[in-house]
Amino acid sequence: MTPAERFFCADAARARGDAFTGTAPYGRVWVLIEYRRGWPADGFDGLDLEPGVKELVFSAARASRARVLLVRRPGRRRPHGSDRWAVLRHDESGALRQQWGSWRRDDDLAAITTALRSPGDRGGPPVVLVCAHGLHDACCAVRGRPVGRVLSKRWPDLVWESTHVGGDRFAANVVVVPDGVYYGGLDPASSITVMEEHLAGRIHAGHLRGYTTLHPPQQAAVAAVLG
């Protein structure tokens, strides 16, 4: 198959006019693990970590119904220094909470399990995740990485590339956590507009996939009101 003939699910979805309203996966808790090397196709599950630590983190995340994502800053990789981890939570009261740490050795990741059992700190700036997991789906790299680059130039402290967030055919996908808001069908220009509005407290209905604190019918209903 030549490059011109290569199939991209995001191109096909746009050509079909696939609707993405109400497609945000439900969830209130996210575990982010900075990993600057290449990402396996299955993300955290595929990492070559110390088995005991990996199972500890996985079990704690499952008990908290947390989603585990690998993250990294867009563009040039930092060659040295500790990586970071975070537990981000949108709790039942609507409070947005964060807890951050760092890791060098696999054993350091065990601190995530403690963070998952604590509420975390209120406030803090939102984290903007741009799915750029090309080994999972090429659309995420082709469409996601340009969006990650342009957003990181504007908001370098907020933006991270992430592993698979769901809905490859809606790439480029951006998730704002712990707010729990999914946006899809973005390109570099529209992503700037969407994030400007989001950070100003407004939701861009035209690219809204949904709120992760709501189930699909509720997400669709809210999108209809906003639209």
Side-chain angles (χ1 to χ4, degrees):
M1 181 178 291
T2 67
E5 297 171 330
R6 188 174 181 183
F7 174 80
F8 289 99
C9 63
D11 293 345
R14 291 192 182 198
R16 291 190 303 263
D18 288 4
F20 49 67
T21 302
T23 62
Y26 185 84
R28 291 180 175 271
V29 186
W30 296 266
V31 175
L32 309 182
I33 298 174
E34 184 178 6
Y35 194 81
R36 287 173 278 172
R37 286 166 281 173
W39 293 336
D42 51 355
F44 176 75
D45 290 349
L47 288 187
D48 184 19
L49 298 174
E50 198 282 318
V53 172
K54 187 174 179 180
E55 177 58 28
L56 192 67
V57 172
F58 178 79
S59 296
R62 182 173 54 191
S64 299
R65 299 182 65 185
R67 182 157 194 173
V68 183
L69 298 172
L70 304 181
V71 299
R72 62 191 175 207
R73 294 294 194 184
R76 178 175 292 184
R77 309 284 183 254
R78 293 183 296 109
H80 304 295
S82 299
D83 286 320
R84 302 181 75 191
W85 59 261
V87 173
L88 309 176
R89 189 185 308 270
H90 187 140
D91 70 22
E92 295 288 346
S93 73
L96 307 179
R97 299 179 179 273
Q98 303 188 25
Q99 190 164 343
W100 290 79
S102 61
W103 71 288
R104 287 179 178 270
R105 302 175 305 163
D106 294 359
D107 288 350
D108 297 335
L109 292 174
I112 291 172
T113 64
T114 302
L116 282 166
R117 294 193 297 269
S118 63
D121 301 320
R122 282 179 176 264
V127 176
V128 180
L129 303 176
V130 183
C131 185
H133 197 179
L135 199 58
H136 180 89
D137 190 289
C139 294
C140 299
V142 171
R143 292 184 179 271
R145 286 176 184 164
V147 167
R149 285 194 296 268
V150 73
L151 290 181
S152 67
K153 287 180 182 178
R154 183 72 175 273
W155 298 283
D157 295 332
L158 304 184
V159 179
W160 301 78
E161 291 182 347
S162 81
T163 48
H164 181 55
V165 300
D168 306 324
R169 70 187 187 280
F170 305 132
N173 288 296
V174 170
V175 187
V176 186
V177 291
D179 306 35
V181 182
Y182 263 65
Y183 295 103
L186 295 169
D187 56 30
S190 62
S191 68
I192 291 290
T193 300
V194 166
M195 285 314 306
E196 284 178 339
E197 294 194 13
H198 186 99
L199 295 173
R202 299 185 297 271
I203 298 296
H204 193 296
H207 287 278
L208 178 65
R209 287 184 55 190
Y211 292 79
T212 67
T213 55
L214 301 176
H215 295 288
Q218 298 168 314
Q219 294 177 28
V222 170
V225 172
L226 292 173

